[in-house]
Amino acid sequence: MPAAPEAALAPYACHPDHSRGRRFAQAPAPTRTEFQRDRDRIVHSTGFRRLVYKTQVFLNHEGDLFRTRLTHSLEVAQLGRSMARSLALNEDLVEAIALAHDLGHTPFGHAGQDALNACMQPFGGFEHNLQSLRVVDSLEERYPEFDGLNLSFETREGILKHCSATNAQALEQLEPGGVGRRFLDRTQPSLEAQLCNLADEIAYNAHDIDDGVRSGLITLAQLQQVPLVDDFRRQILTEFPTLGDRSQGRRLLYETIRRMLSAQVYDVMAASGQALQQAAPADVAAVRHLPALIGFSSSMAERSQQLKSFLLRHLYRHPQVMATTGLAQQVVQELFAFYQAQPTEMAEGFAARSAALAGTPEEATARARVVADYIAGMTDRFATREHERLSGRRLLP
Ligand code: MG
């Protein structure tokens, strides 16, 4: 067992030797810690490979340089690891959570998620966080002895970032005292899970500016109303006046984003370091019963919120983005209706799962869940083609 990194962990960090374990007991790996093993299982999963063809904000076909769910997840892992190291938290666990956190996302980003959730309303709804957990707990088919990846409790806890009370109760019934419990008790997850949440936010705020400006939907000039961005733009122009030239726009953008990212990362390290020092939790169990300890300073939280509001108004609700998301929602809605009517049109394993439910008491709900699982696993391009095959109409390029 590689001893050095674990020896450097703070007492309140998740230690792999004190993991609450896996749902199916397995002998320890000879050369890897439990969390490194989780990370490796995630990287080799089918769901992980599909992230490359899933939209973050811009649909996959709109350009080769925009973030996908895969590059987003890698950026979250990078930011998370940097912060974890400085706070003496477990980098491997942060990496595992970051790489898995978006596995349950539908094709077409939030548009797809909203459409699928609407379709699933009569059958218990659809939440992407819960779906990420379903992917690692049951939908991946890679092991002879069990469904899913059989990840450790701490990784699964981090993946389930949010959960409704109803779903938490359902989880609690299946796994008493398990990952659904904290949403009923209103306690906190590990510091590594808290850190991943924040790394996710920092990553998408930054890369959505980059993708938004590069797409031409927003401009750096417009971003002058966002202090978190504009303070750095002005600072850079004072240091490097030539970056004000039109031809230097890209360098100015990247340098602005780089400084903004660094400022947020250092802010989290300082504010969280201070909160940890004050609360001085003795161990992970103590962390769970304290308020959230990982976060921005209050001034950075406010600046980050201003940026989020800007992106919501000017990018996520941009007419051009909305037009494509409308079509994407139509694809998902129509696919759902097709498979509900004709489950045999799904891939073999899903069709078989659906057929096996015939005559069971929960048939309608359980069959709709199979359809949701099938659609949620699709990449943007597979969903587009499959929709065309079933409807005879091509809605997206
Ligand atoms: Mg994310």
Side-chain angles (χ1 to χ4, degrees):
M1 192 75 51
E6 276 67 42
L9 292 177
Y12 37 74
C14 283
H15 198 290
D17 294 345
H18 306 143
S19 166
R20 284 170 61 174
R22 302 175 189 277
R23 292 194 302 159
F24 304 94
Q26 288 187 284
T31 56
R32 294 173 295 166
T33 70
E34 295 305 317
F35 303 140
Q36 288 171 340
R37 202 178 188 190
D38 283 356
R39 179 218 35 222
D40 297 347
R41 287 179 182 196
I42 292 158
V43 168
H44 288 278
S45 71
T46 307
F48 187 72
R49 279 195 300 284
R50 287 188 182 141
L51 293 177
V52 72
Y53 296 113
K54 287 195 178 197
T55 289
Q56 185 70 22
V57 173
F58 293 90
L59 298 191
N60 225 264
H61 64 261
E62 288 176 310
D64 290 345
L65 294 177
F66 298 129
R67 265 67 175 189
T68 66
R69 292 261 171 223
L70 180 67
T71 54
H72 163 70
S73 301
L74 295 173
E75 291 180 28
V76 176
Q78 183 277 316
L79 289 167
R81 286 193 76 131
S82 291
M83 295 188 284
R85 180 173 294 202
S86 90
L87 293 167
L89 298 177
N90 195 309
E91 280 185 63
D92 297 322
L93 176 57
V94 167
E95 186 179 23
I97 298 170
L99 295 180
H101 86 284
D102 271 351
L103 286 178
H105 262 289
T106 61
F108 312 125
H110 283 281
Q113 132 96 20
D114 292 346
L116 193 53
N117 186 29
C119 295
M120 284 297 286
Q121 274 317 299
F123 313 104
F126 177 89
E127 289 178 25
H128 65 86
N129 285 296
L130 189 62
Q131 192 67 15
S132 296
L133 188 69
R134 275 177 73 71
V135 170
V136 301
D137 276 1
S138 49
L139 296 174
E140 284 285 329
E141 296 176 319
R142 309 189 76 81
Y143 293 89
E145 311 96 319
F146 45 76
D147 286 336
L149 304 177
N150 195 29
L151 302 181
S152 56
F153 175 87
E154 291 75 10
T155 303
R156 296 173 59 240
E157 173 193 51
I159 291 172
L160 193 63
K161 178 159 94 174
H162 302 293
C163 186
S164 68
T166 319
N167 285 327
Q169 265 150 8
L171 280 173
E172 179 65 15
Q173 283 202 326
L174 290 171
E175 184 191 0
V179 290
R181 186 75 205 189
R182 73 180 168 94
F183 299 97
L184 303 171
D185 293 348
R186 294 172 184 277
T187 53
Q188 296 298 323
S190 71
L191 296 166
E192 285 82 357
Q194 295 179 33
L195 189 60
C196 259
N197 264 340
L198 208 56
D200 188 18
E201 196 179 313
I202 296 173
Y204 64 66
N205 281 338
H207 64 51
D208 289 351
I209 294 179
D210 182 0
D211 287 353
V213 171
R214 215 144 19 75
S215 69
L217 298 188
I218 54 174
T219 61
L220 256 187
Q222 245 181 324
L223 279 155
Q224 285 177 22
Q225 51 183 294
V226 184
L228 179 57
V229 181
D230 201 53
D231 288 358
F232 294 114
R233 187 192 63 89
R234 282 186 290 114
Q235 187 187 76
I236 295 159
L237 286 177
T238 313
E239 287 172 46
F240 302 98
T242 55
L243 291 194
D245 296 351
R246 235 186 124 84
S247 64
Q248 298 296 310
R250 206 159 270 188
R251 272 182 218 269
L252 177 62
L253 172 67
Y254 290 142
E255 184 60 17
T256 304
I257 293 174
R258 181 169 18 253
R259 292 189 187 194
M260 195 187 95
L261 273 175
S262 300
Q264 291 176 90
V265 164
Y266 291 131
D267 183 85
V268 172
M269 289 175 184
S272 309
Q274 203 175 20
L276 284 164
Q277 206 173 22
Q278 267 168 16
D283 51 21
V284 186
V287 164
R288 297 184 201 280
H289 291 94
L290 286 164
L293 295 172
I294 302 292
F296 287 128
S297 66
S298 56
S299 67
M300 185 59 87
E302 194 191 327
R303 288 157 81 84
S304 162
Q305 192 51 52
Q306 291 164 338
L307 171 57
K308 275 185 170 184
S309 314
F310 174 90
L311 288 171
L312 180 67
R313 238 176 334 170
H314 298 283
L315 182 62
Y316 310 143
R317 291 195 186 145
H318 190 286
Q320 209 172 309
V321 173
M322 298 294 280
T324 346
T325 59
L327 291 174
Q329 290 186 329
Q330 197 183 338
V331 168
V332 169
Q333 283 157 3
E334 293 184 7
L335 280 177
F336 188 85
F338 285 128
Y339 297 130
Q340 278 285 76
Q342 294 178 64
T344 51
E345 290 292 337
M346 291 188 288
E348 207 181 337
F350 291 88
R353 255 178 74 199
S354 180
L357 291 163
T360 57
E362 294 290 315
E363 180 179 345
T365 306
R367 284 188 131 172
R369 186 61 59 191
V370 176
V371 173
D373 285 342
Y374 186 48
I375 295 176
M378 291 179 181
T379 60
D380 291 13
R381 56 184 194 170
F382 182 78
T384 304
R385 282 192 214 131
E386 186 66 358
H387 176 270
E388 187 182 18
R389 178 180 77 83
L390 293 165
S391 71
R393 286 171 302 130
R394 180 84 177 208
L395 290 186
L396 293 164

